Amino acid sequence: MINDENKTEIIDLYLEGSLSEELQREVEERMQTDPLFRQEVAVQKKVIKVIQEEERSKLKEEMKVIFEEDDNQQAKVIPIQRSRFSYAVAAAVSLLLIAAALFFVLRPTDAEVQYLAVSLPTGTRGELPDGVPKKFPVQIDADNQQYNFHYQLGDTLKLYGSFSWENLSLVFEPNRRNYMMLTPQDTFLLLPSETIQPLQP
Amino acid sequence: MTDQELLSLLRQRDPGAFKELRKLYPMCRKRILELGVSEEDSKDIFQDSIIILYEKTQRADFTLTSKISTFLYGICQNKALEVQRKKRKDDAFKEHMAKEVALNETEENESTLPDEEQIRQALHKLGPPCREILGAFYYHLASIKEISEKLGYKNENTARQAKYKCMQRLKETLSKPIS
């Protein structure tokens, strides 16, 4: 039975198509005989439509802000063009020792210091905390006989294994004050230590 | 992140979900451009598609039956086709004619109803608590229980009463001339 107290809720359910058959019949009969009620249903329908449009616009604007903040964060991660660096190194070395230049070109994964920018994890806002290096020197030693998926985190991050520069990034977790290394396959926790440790997700 | 985890984050409007979905733009962009939509419109269509995906996840009966990337790709494609259809003159004409017919057939004469701008103004006059509760209920499809918990009402009944009063206030405002 429709009354003033439940009218709004019943109209909601009617517009959703969720009323029982009996109540639906009652609403439709009343709409035919009561012009004020019919108007109220039409107004409520239009109001709901506008509310949905307003909220949709608001969500779209929120999404744009999220994307802008994401763009600003991504700008902090400086991609390293390894090949340019290698060519620059090879070119410089080749002037002095041609054999050494060939060595570098043929075995590009030998230890060379490069830098990775550190970023904050997705969803975190703001700058890196004070005292946390924003750029980290990283060395890759791909040909080490003893270690093949290990690391050592001191003033420099040394990686042991066949890592690809293009796929690495460093993230700082403010809550745990830890560094994480991201690859396409996994995320690895990096703990500072003077010893060489295995990389673990 | 698995698709289910991503969906769960999206339902909560977690910023991480939107950032993750954004990575699918290149794939959707390619298809949107193939359908003849401009580069400028393609970004808008992609964002609208994410909104549509969000709206679907709010429905209790929604089940993802494919990968999210495939699903979103489908939404982008349909949205792009819709945009292209609207741009075509003959469809615009047919749409215009359909609207004329619909106007003549409405159960209530549109001229007696407040227009959308009047409703928007009345909504803004309501103030934040009412706008929030009505937005949560009618757009984000939150239950009264969820609204009660999230907006800090004493109990579900109080939240239900608040929602009813907000809607009543809105209707009363619309029944008066808008200044």
Side-chain angles (χ1 to χ4, degrees):
Chain A
M1 175 83 182
I2 306 168
N3 55 47
D4 280 345
E5 276 187 20
N6 64 20
K7 196 168 41 170
T8 301
E9 200 171 332
I10 287 186
I11 294 174
D12 277 343
L13 293 169
Y14 170 73
L15 294 171
E16 268 176 43
S18 306
L19 279 180
S20 64
E21 275 185 34
E22 192 185 328
L23 265 177
Q24 173 135 351
R25 246 191 326 267
E26 192 182 334
V27 167
E28 282 165 359
E29 276 167 17
R30 189 158 166 188
M31 279 173 71
Q32 284 183 3
T33 57
D34 183 347
L36 284 177
F37 179 74
R38 188 167 62 242
Q39 170 123 3
E40 193 169 349
V41 172
V43 168
Q44 192 158 325
K45 183 178 177 181
K46 216 167 172 182
V47 161
I48 292 170
K49 181 173 173 264
V50 170
I51 289 172
Q52 289 170 341
E53 282 168 5
E54 288 285 287
E55 289 295 313
R56 188 176 292 127
S57 294
K58 199 170 126 194
L59 182 60
K60 199 169 171 183
E61 285 310 307
E62 283 173 14
M63 191 168 68
K64 283 181 184 171
V65 169
I66 290 167
F67 289 167
E68 273 167 25
E69 285 181 358
D70 193 35
D71 283 340
N72 290 339
Q73 257 188 12
Q74 293 297 330
K76 290 194 179 81
V77 179
I78 305 159
I80 303 290
Q81 296 295 328
R82 193 181 190 289
S83 57
R84 272 210 300 270
F85 191 85
S86 293
Y87 292 147
V89 171
V93 172
S94 69
L95 291 175
L96 301 169
L97 292 167
I98 295 174
L102 283 173
F103 179 73
F104 272 100
V105 167
L106 290 174
R107 301 181 65 188
T109 56
D110 273 3
E112 293 173 18
V113 178
Q114 300 229 17
Y115 291 84
L116 278 182
V118 180
S119 61
L120 291 172
T122 304
T124 313
R125 296 180 183 218
E127 297 282 322
L128 285 171
D130 289 340
V132 173
K134 294 178 172 48
K135 241 169 79 163
F136 222 100
V138 182
Q139 280 181 287
I140 292 179
D141 185 352
D143 299 320
N144 192 289
Q145 300 297 317
Q146 198 176 353
Y147 302 108
N148 60 5
F149 203 65
H150 291 66
Y151 76 98
Q152 183 189 11
L153 180 58
D155 292 333
T156 306
L157 170 62
K158 290 181 188 166
L159 299 174
Y160 299 90
S162 53
F163 294 94
S164 164
W165 283 107
E166 290 79 20
N167 293 332
L168 291 181
S169 54
L170 282 180
V171 167
F172 184 77
E173 287 256 318
N175 294 340
R176 294 189 285 175
R177 293 196 72 81
N178 279 336
Y179 286 98
M180 312 287 283
M181 186 175 78
L182 274 61
T183 70
Q185 286 78 41
D186 226 316
T187 302
F188 300 97
L189 175 65
L190 302 177
L191 295 170
S193 171
E194 291 191 8
T195 59
I196 296 173
Q197 306 175 63
L199 278 160
Q200 289 174 351
Chain B
M1 194 186 296
T2 65
D3 277 3
Q4 287 307 322
E5 284 166 352
L6 180 52
L7 273 187
S8 175
L9 287 179
L10 183 62
R11 272 191 202 103
Q12 298 160 57
R13 298 204 313 274
D14 187 286
F18 293 107
K19 288 179 190 175
E20 196 63 28
L21 287 169
R22 194 190 188 196
K23 293 176 186 173
L24 301 172
Y25 177 56
M27 173 190 74
C28 289
R29 173 184 169 272
K30 185 170 178 284
R31 184 60 186 140
I32 292 167
L33 294 181
E34 276 171 7
L35 292 171
V37 175
S38 68
E39 180 77 57
E40 198 183 324
D41 285 347
S42 75
K43 278 186 192 158
D44 212 44
I45 286 175
F46 180 69
Q47 287 171 9
D48 285 343
S49 300
I50 294 181
I51 299 290
I52 291 170
L53 177 60
Y54 165 78
E55 289 170 3
K56 287 185 186 293
T57 63
Q58 296 310 103
R59 304 199 69 88
D61 56 358
F62 174 73
T63 311
L64 189 67
T65 52
S66 66
K67 286 168 66 173
I68 278 193
S69 54
T70 310
F71 195 71
L72 186 60
Y73 181 90
I75 297 173
C76 287
Q77 181 170 256
N78 289 340
K79 199 80 190 123
L81 288 169
E82 188 188 310
V83 163
Q84 290 303 80
R85 268 199 301 272
K86 278 183 180 165
K87 280 185 178 168
R88 276 188 241 132
K89 279 186 186 171
D90 53 341
D91 281 323
F93 177 73
K94 282 178 195 165
E95 202 178 311
H96 170 73
M97 290 307 294
K99 275 183 187 163
E100 291 266 17
V101 170
L103 265 176
N104 294 333
E105 288 178 358
T106 50
E107 62 273 18
E108 191 55 39
N109 190 341
E110 277 282 330
S111 65
T112 66
L113 300 179
D115 62 40
E116 289 189 6
E117 188 48 40
Q118 287 172 321
I119 297 174
R120 256 181 223 108
Q121 284 183 32
L123 199 52
H124 282 279
K125 259 174 106 175
L126 271 187
C130 271
R131 282 206 303 272
E132 210 175 340
I133 199 174
L134 293 177
F137 188 82
Y138 289 112
Y139 180 69
H140 300 290
L141 304 185
S143 64
I144 291 293
K145 181 170 187 279
E146 284 165 342
I147 290 171
S148 164
E149 284 164 8
K150 192 173 175 203
L151 301 184
Y153 287 96
K154 204 167 133 190
N155 52 46
E156 279 181 52
N157 213 35
T158 314
R160 189 174 286 111
Q161 281 299 310
K163 183 234 164 205
Y164 166 76
K165 282 178 185 166
C166 287
M167 188 52 112
Q168 284 309 107
R169 267 180 57 201
L170 190 53
K171 287 182 187 176
E172 279 160 22
T173 306
L174 289 169
S175 64
K176 295 176 198 161
I178 307 276
S179 54

